[in-house]
Amino acid sequence: MFILHCSDADGKSVSLRYAPHESSLTNLDGTPVLATNGQAGAPRVWEDAVRVSPQQPGRKIENPAVLKIQLGLACNYTCSYCNQSSQVDSMAMTRTADALSFLQDLDQWLKEPPSRIEFWGGEPLLYFRKLAILVPELDKRFPEAEFCMVTNGSLLTQEILDFIVRYDICITVSHDGPGQYLRGEDPFDDPQREALLKALWNNRKHGERMQFSSVLTPNNSDPAALRRWFVEKLGDESVVTSLEGVVATHDEKALAGPGVWSAAQYQSLKDAVASSFETGEALRIPALREKAKGLMQSILMGTPSSSMGQKCGMDRSDHVAVDLHSNVLTCHNTGANAQHGLGSALQMDEIRLDTSTHWAHRECCSHCPVLQLCGGSCMYLEGEQFAQSCENEYQFGLGVLDGTLRRALGLKLESVEGDVRRPTRRKVISILAQA
Ligand code: SF4
Ligand code: SF4
């Protein structure tokens, strides 16, 4: 349980009790802060999430609800904080023809329609010939399934655009707006690519079938400024810009560069995120809006943390990531030829997710005021890579918590009191040369 010390519009101190494991937010006298207006309904029965760990591996099931197809990890960009680059060497190479055998094998373990099928790279449009085999056939088999793809948008052609429209693929374009230099070239700098991106947006914006999505990094951490950048670029106030989240550190390169923030940069992040709720900009940014909504709902419904899985959902048995050899992977960001290759989808009963750690097994997450907002960062990171990713998530979460309180209650979060535990960090001991 934590005490949230806040100030109201007149600068008066107001303190609230927040218990993330029970999702209760009360005044210090125990009265609830949020009125349910009698809409709470009958008490809900919550199912416990499976708490995966190497000792208690998770399982995967046939006919998953979410199928993530890894086309390959190659990319034409070299983002400086890429969460896949450390995995590229462990990727099992697949050829275009493997898409055909993949579809044949699929008959054996995917008979029910998934609700969503995602196509992943690397950069998925590098693998357009694979997509041209997979998508029409999967559309025939599972017309009800939603198709989604995350791309850097730099390889669009008219042919690809027509294909996306024809198969109604929901598109997320990864782009960091003013911070794009951390990823590589800006496709908006090339008039032809810019025209294609605009044409795609103008087609896909109807029915919410496209968004631009950015990663918050130390010098590019203002979600409202990011949104303005895209509004101006697209010349469209309605452009949907979201966030992939705050930068994580999946390798030493990210730990030596854009994954590490100074205290001042964290403060700017928190201020920018919190004030975007006050101005209402955050409500136009799906990732922020959904986080705040989820937090409010958890408090209104008393969502117990025992029902919470990991933030990305890949600890769930009904979320399955595979490559075109039908290798089941920890997630679509990993390769099959090392520890993240979990076995074959053709023997789904044998799959054991033994590479990952549910947040409940991490002391810091069990003592974290933003647990309900974060969901435990990446489940397979350990050591300093986890510690730094966790710190980034923590500071971002505090910004969202503050923003949600400002928007919902008119209270500004000043500090958090309680048994907050942070992960153990790598200690750097400098050795001074003796004179
Ligand atoms: S911020 Fe860190 S400690 Fe808190 S839930 Fe996320 S990963 Fe766990
Ligand atoms: S396990 Fe989840 S959070 Fe970690 S890299 Fe994979 S999808 Fe991302």
Side-chain angles (χ1 to χ4, degrees):
M1 199 271 299
F2 301 98
I3 308 283
L4 307 181
H5 294 293
C6 308
S7 56
D8 69 12
D10 300 325
K12 208 173 94 208
S13 299
V14 178
S15 294
L16 307 174
R17 267 185 229 280
Y18 175 55
H21 292 294
E22 293 83 39
S23 289
S24 88
L25 182 70
T26 66
N27 295 299
L28 291 186
D29 63 6
T31 53
V33 170
L34 298 177
T36 55
N37 296 327
Q39 290 168 1
R44 186 172 156 181
V45 179
W46 299 94
E47 208 175 306
D48 284 349
V50 176
R51 299 178 167 196
V52 303
S53 72
Q55 293 73 35
Q56 290 171 269
R59 301 289 188 97
K60 297 288 172 180
I61 58 169
E62 294 189 345
N63 301 313
V66 175
L67 173 65
K68 303 188 181 211
I69 302 175
Q70 168 57 250
L71 304 166
L73 289 175
C75 186
N76 58 326
Y77 276 17
T78 49
C79 300
S80 55
Y81 53 76
C82 179
N83 58 9
Q84 296 181 334
S85 56
S86 60
Q87 298 292 321
V88 174
D89 290 345
S90 60
M91 167 181 79
M93 294 298 293
T94 56
R95 295 167 301 132
T96 303
D98 293 324
L100 292 167
S101 49
F102 173 78
L103 286 167
Q104 261 174 9
D105 289 348
L106 204 59
D107 274 339
Q108 295 182 48
W109 60 275
L110 192 71
K111 299 188 174 85
E112 309 289 330
S115 58
R116 196 166 78 238
I117 301 179
E118 300 176 7
F119 301 95
W120 284 92
E123 169 47 49
L125 296 185
L126 274 178
Y127 301 105
F128 183 60
R129 291 201 299 150
K130 291 175 178 171
L131 287 168
I133 295 171
L134 292 169
V135 173
E137 180 58 27
L138 290 169
D139 185 50
K140 215 182 295 165
R141 293 187 197 181
F142 307 117
E144 312 87 338
E146 179 176 44
F147 290 172
C148 304
M149 188 160 65
V150 178
T151 168
N152 62 36
S154 66
L155 299 174
L156 269 183
T157 60
Q158 190 60 48
E159 181 194 4
I160 292 173
L161 194 155
D162 294 342
F163 181 84
I164 289 169
V165 172
R166 176 161 178 209
Y167 292 103
D168 194 21
I169 302 174
C170 191
I171 294 291
T172 295
V173 175
S174 285
H175 190 295
D176 283 356
Q180 179 68 8
Y181 61 90
L182 288 177
R183 289 185 181 264
E185 280 177 26
D186 183 350
F188 282 105
D189 287 344
D190 177 302
Q192 237 178 338
R193 291 176 185 168
E194 181 183 33
L196 283 162
L197 276 170
K198 284 183 173 171
L200 187 64
W201 164 251
N202 283 324
N203 176 283
R204 301 277 75 198
K205 68 179 177 182
H206 307 290
E208 299 176 1
R209 308 298 290 156
M210 181 167 167
Q211 63 178 2
F212 293 86
S213 194
S214 309
V215 173
L216 298 175
T217 46
N219 293 312
N220 189 35
S221 64
D222 182 346
L226 267 159
R227 209 185 87 74
R228 291 280 2 130
W229 191 94
F230 285 103
V231 166
E232 277 160 34
K233 227 16 127 175
L234 274 295
D236 185 344
E237 190 60 42
S238 73
V239 65
V240 181
T241 65
S242 196
L243 300 173
E244 287 168 29
V246 69
V247 64
T249 46
H250 281 256
D251 57 23
E252 289 301 314
K253 195 169 145 203
L255 276 176
V260 182
W261 306 55
S262 66
Q265 286 166 330
Y266 277 140
Q267 194 55 51
S268 299
L269 165 75
K270 286 186 285 188
D271 290 345
V273 170
S275 62
S276 72
F277 280 92
E278 282 178 323
T279 60
E281 280 292 284
L283 306 185
R284 307 181 75 169
I285 299 171
L288 291 180
R289 187 179 65 225
E290 292 309 311
K291 272 187 183 290
K293 199 167 133 194
L295 179 66
M296 298 304 280
Q297 271 172 352
S298 70
I299 293 165
L300 286 167
M301 297 168 77
T303 312
S305 64
S306 55
S307 66
M308 272 179 66
Q310 288 299 119
K311 71 168 194 171
C312 64
M314 287 311 296
D315 55 332
R316 293 176 57 125
S317 59
D318 62 353
H319 283 40
V320 172
V322 280
D323 67 13
L324 293 186
H325 294 308
S326 304
N327 292 312
V328 178
L329 309 165
T330 297
C331 76
H332 52 276
N333 291 322
T334 60
N337 285 344
Q339 78 271 24
H340 292 296
L342 306 180
S344 171
L346 301 173
Q347 282 118 29
M348 201 67 97
D349 283 351
E350 310 281 313
I351 299 295
R352 297 290 180 272
L353 174 63
D354 57 3
T355 54
S356 299
T357 301
H358 183 268
W359 63 262
H361 299 295
R362 303 199 201 250
E363 187 191 22
C364 56
C365 298
S366 298
H367 293 80
C368 178
V370 300
L371 170 67
Q372 292 274 350
L373 287 163
C374 169
S377 188
C378 177
M379 63 185 186
Y380 69 73
L381 290 183
E382 295 295 339
E384 187 61 15
Q385 291 179 4
F386 173 78
Q388 183 65 55
S389 301
C390 163
E391 189 59 29
N392 299 350
E393 290 282 1
Y394 181 66
Q395 301 290 340
F396 177 48
L398 287 176
V400 178
L401 178 61
D402 185 6
T404 307
L405 293 172
R406 292 188 196 193
R407 187 84 202 169
L409 303 171
L411 296 177
K412 195 171 171 186
L413 181 66
E414 303 290 353
S415 64
V416 177
E417 180 190 332
D419 186 12
V420 178
R421 297 190 199 167
R422 307 297 303 130
T424 314
R425 302 300 304 268
R426 179 161 67 189
K427 287 194 177 59
V428 179
I429 301 167
S430 60
I431 301 171
L432 298 177
Q434 298 294 313

